[in-house]
Amino acid sequence: DETTNLYGDYSPGTNNYFKSNVMDAIKGIATNVKHGDGCDDTACAHYNKQEVVSQLHNVDFIVVALGTGQHVEAEGHDKFHYDLPGKQKQLLQDVLDNAGDNPVVVLLFTGSALDVSFADADHRVSAIVQCFLPAQETGVAVRHMLLNDVAGAVPAGRLPFTWYKSENQLGDINDYSMDGKTYRYLHDNVDPLYP
């Protein structure tokens, strides 16, 4: 429900009239919408499995919003790990284990790549969408993307940087050569998750 985590730390002032979030998007698609926070913020140090799992019954599809927000990454506040923050991976795993045959769409709200290789490899995940930090009209954009109801609403599948399969593929941060760092320079035996 909270919208501030959908803004990057360079976003301008916003107009409350235009604010929309993922819940607004889903409410614009479905009539019976269930919601379980699971985490009290994007750092996800405290996770309530029961709150999430209890919402997964009698549904047609599931949308899971994960990511960082300014609690985890911002200018001058870099994230220290490539993993999903806190217990977000466990949250997604619990959703997948309790989703039945319902399609699961994962929306990532981040300013950078995260290790989602486990979700990419899981056949129960129908789609993973990197939304970045889309700001005040997030709900409108997500609704159009899910419904493909306006021109240009479908994600093009292009990313501005390489997503590695794991933190192990990342080089030394103090090594400024490009050797082994982007899809153009990775060694033959290393495949990124998304080039």
Side-chain angles (χ1 to χ4, degrees):
D1 271 338
E2 210 254 311
T3 57
T4 14
N5 283 308
L6 302 174
Y7 298 78
D9 54 337
Y10 286 110
S11 63
T14 59
N15 182 332
N16 287 337
Y17 177 79
F18 294 106
K19 278 187 181 179
S20 65
N21 58 34
V22 175
M23 280 301 294
D24 296 325
I26 304 304
K27 288 175 184 172
I29 296 171
T31 53
N32 182 15
V33 177
K34 297 180 177 184
H35 174 254
D37 276 333
C39 300
D40 47 356
D41 61 28
T42 56
C44 198
H46 307 287
Y47 166 54
N48 184 338
K49 176 180 177 177
Q50 184 57 38
E51 184 177 351
V52 171
V53 172
S54 67
Q55 302 302 312
L56 300 175
H57 306 291
N58 301 317
V59 297
D60 295 323
F61 66 97
I62 299 164
V63 175
V64 181
L66 304 172
T68 57
Q70 293 183 53
H71 293 292
V72 177
E73 68 177 336
E75 187 67 34
H77 180 70
D78 296 337
K79 60 186 169 95
F80 292 103
H81 302 284
Y82 196 57
D83 300 322
L84 285 165
K87 297 182 177 156
Q88 288 187 31
K89 182 176 182 179
Q90 184 60 52
L91 184 154
L92 180 55
Q93 191 63 54
D94 291 338
V95 167
L96 294 172
D97 291 344
N98 292 278
D101 293 330
N102 294 308
V104 176
V105 175
V106 177
L107 303 178
L108 297 173
F109 295 94
T110 72
S112 61
L114 292 169
D115 182 2
V116 291
S117 56
F118 74 98
D120 182 75
D122 196 312
H123 71 279
R124 299 172 295 181
V125 175
S126 299
I128 301 172
V129 180
Q130 168 62 353
C131 299
F132 294 99
L133 300 170
Q136 71 182 14
E137 290 212 52
T138 296
V140 173
V142 168
R143 184 180 71 245
H144 288 316
M145 179 208 48
L146 291 172
L147 293 175
N148 187 23
D149 62 351
V150 297
V154 177
R158 293 183 292 270
L159 293 168
F161 44 77
T162 301
W163 284 52
Y164 300 95
K165 285 184 184 172
S166 73
E167 201 167 281
N168 296 336
Q169 289 185 334
L170 296 172
D172 179 359
I173 193 72
N174 295 316
D175 176 5
Y176 293 102
S177 77
M178 293 306 290
D179 186 42
K181 296 219 175 123
T182 73
Y183 74 95
R184 291 177 46 205
Y185 300 99
L186 285 174
H187 302 288
D188 291 337
N189 61 345
V190 177
D191 289 324
L193 184 60
Y194 308 121

